[in-house]
Amino acid sequence: MSDDSSQMNSYVAKGEAFDRDTNYIEDRILADPDSQWPVEPGRYRLIAARACPWANRTIIVRRLLGLEDVISIGMPGPTHDARSWTFDLDPGGVDPVLGIERLQQAFFARFPDYPRGITVPAMVDIASGAVVTNDFPQITEDFSSQWKQYHRAGAPDLWPEESRDEMEKVMRLIYTEINNGVYRCGFAGSQEAYEAAFDRLFTALDTIEERLSHSRYLMGGSITEADVRLFTTLVRFDPVYFGHFKCNRQTLRDFENLWGYARDLYQTPGFGDTVDFTQIKQHYYIVHVDVNPTQVVPKGPDLSGWLSPHGREKLGGSPFGEGTAPGPVRAGEEVPEEHTAAAWL
């Protein structure tokens, strides 16, 4: 089962624990001119809905590394029907580059009988209109490694070699227990499955809370891919996961270090300026009809705290290490101010 897929009408299997379908299209875009999918500026389009945490990762990394000029982006709306994500935010409901109304068309252009969920993020070959890959963890890793020659000057090193082994261990914990852990709670089909998932989630959050008590970022004094992967869950925690997914032992604001850390990242260029709180709430509360059958979207919570001082500077470090912050958000890719934390000030 895939949460952000075409399977809109059924996420919860009664009596069962949630089991994510992790079978993705594993093709890679490589810095090898002889590969099936070689790195080429302008050849591929990233399809990434702002509402989806897995897609949000790719939007952040693309911006941090300065890949906007070489990888274009298409953004479906926050909701989808039983078939796939749709481009309802674009004029005429059509992606202006690919010329399609729904992401499903790109998957079918590659695999006419594609049997799995139509997920974002997805990299699409513009000329053929065919999906190349929807393997979300590999996509961001390859943005760092395979597209290196096109990184902006001052781009951060999100995969530092000296801490890679430790970082991959941390990211496994984050994925299995936190990124996927909130879904395990929300889509639990029995009381027993829910309570087990709840305990696993908060055990992991407590572990990360302690780690962040003495380290500004997960791997030390500057941001890495691990921080990107944790942030997209944390930024959705109070608006969605606390209530909608019943992850309600405490809010994110009740964690001293996680809350300070999350605000530190939100206020860092490349993170908060990719977050659309309105789309996030619309997606979860409207699409997950078996969890929220009324499809009523809550007005709260108050988001103004995301812009309050975080005090994490006392731990030292610099978000971009020896690099620099990305420049202003590319024209046309801005999050509407009324969809941001600033709207609550």
Side-chain angles (χ1 to χ4, degrees):
M1 183 188 297
S2 180
D3 55 287
D4 295 305
S5 73
S6 62
Q7 308 305 312
M8 175 180 175
N9 58 352
S10 181
Y11 297 91
V12 178
K14 189 171 178 60
E16 297 180 12
F18 173 65
D19 182 22
R20 180 177 301 280
D21 180 354
T22 56
N23 290 292
Y24 299 102
I25 302 168
E26 295 181 348
D27 286 23
R28 295 175 61 192
I29 298 170
L30 300 173
D32 175 358
D34 297 323
S35 68
Q36 180 182 5
W37 306 108
V39 164
E40 291 180 15
R43 176 170 176 174
Y44 306 98
R45 187 160 175 82
L46 168 64
I47 305 301
R50 289 196 188 277
C52 169
W54 320 107
N56 196 175
R57 294 179 179 185
T58 61
I59 300 172
I60 292 171
V61 172
R62 172 179 173 269
R63 175 151 159 64
L64 292 177
L65 299 180
L67 293 172
E68 295 97 330
D69 289 337
V70 295
I71 302 173
S72 70
I73 192 168
M75 295 185 181
T79 63
H80 55 71
D81 59 21
R83 289 170 60 192
S84 85
W85 295 88
T86 54
F87 295 98
D88 48 293
L89 300 180
D90 291 309
V94 174
D95 180 86
V97 173
L98 299 175
I100 57 178
E101 297 178 349
R102 54 180 63 246
L103 183 56
Q104 185 184 53
Q105 292 168 261
F107 279 71
F108 286 176
R110 178 86 186 279
F111 305 106
D113 299 314
Y114 189 73
R116 316 198 80 86
I118 308 299
T119 63
V120 289
M123 293 288 285
V124 178
D125 177 52
I126 295 173
S128 66
V131 67
V132 175
T133 178
N134 63 341
D135 188 351
F136 64 90
Q138 192 64 58
I139 289 173
T140 52
E141 182 174 353
D142 286 346
F143 280 179
S144 283
S145 64
Q146 303 302 310
W147 292 82
K148 205 173 190 67
Q149 69 184 105
Y150 298 105
H151 289 183
R152 65 178 177 86
D157 181 4
L158 299 179
W159 290 79
E161 190 61 38
E162 66 274 11
S163 54
R164 179 165 183 140
D165 290 346
E166 173 68 11
M167 187 173 83
E168 290 187 338
K169 291 177 184 176
V170 171
M171 291 193 302
R172 280 195 294 274
L173 172 71
I174 290 169
Y175 173 73
T176 59
E177 304 303 308
I178 299 176
N179 298 151
N180 198 38
V182 293
Y183 288 93
R184 203 180 289 114
C185 290
F187 295 153
S190 72
Q191 188 68 34
E192 294 75 19
Y194 163 70
E195 292 186 8
F198 183 97
D199 291 343
R200 285 179 62 179
L201 169 64
F202 282 97
T203 295
L205 287 171
D206 289 340
T207 298
I208 299 299
E209 169 75 0
E210 195 285 325
R211 183 183 186 95
L212 291 171
S213 68
H214 52 78
S215 178
R216 184 170 177 183
Y217 303 105
L218 287 170
M219 302 311 301
S222 59
I223 57 174
T224 64
E225 173 89 11
D227 298 297
V228 176
R229 295 186 180 194
L230 180 58
F231 173 77
T232 58
T233 294
L234 296 184
V235 81
R236 288 162 174 77
F237 199 89
D238 288 0
V240 175
Y241 303 143
F242 178 85
H244 182 60
F245 277 177
K246 309 179 187 70
C247 301
N248 61 356
R249 192 191 79 179
Q250 63 197 92
T251 65
L252 180 63
R253 295 170 188 235
D254 294 324
F255 287 96
E256 178 183 359
N257 300 315
L258 278 165
W259 176 226
Y261 163 84
R263 281 178 288 157
D264 190 359
L265 289 175
Y266 185 84
Q267 295 168 32
T268 297
F271 286 84
D273 53 31
T274 72
V275 174
D276 189 315
F277 284 112
T278 299
Q279 287 198 27
I280 287 168
K281 291 197 294 184
Q282 289 173 339
H283 172 70
Y284 285 91
Y285 284 99
I286 293 174
V287 171
H288 299 158
V289 292
D290 46 358
V291 178
N292 184 43
T294 66
Q295 298 180 293
V296 171
V297 180
K299 290 183 68 174
D302 182 340
L303 301 169
S304 59
W306 282 97
L307 298 175
S308 64
H310 51 74
R312 299 285 292 176
E313 302 93 340
K314 68 181 185 294
L315 293 170
S318 173
F320 301 104
E322 297 179 359
T324 59
V329 176
R330 189 182 182 89
E333 295 183 10
E334 306 95 338
V335 176
E337 185 174 353
E338 62 270 23
H339 293 190
T340 71
W344 289 83
L345 294 174

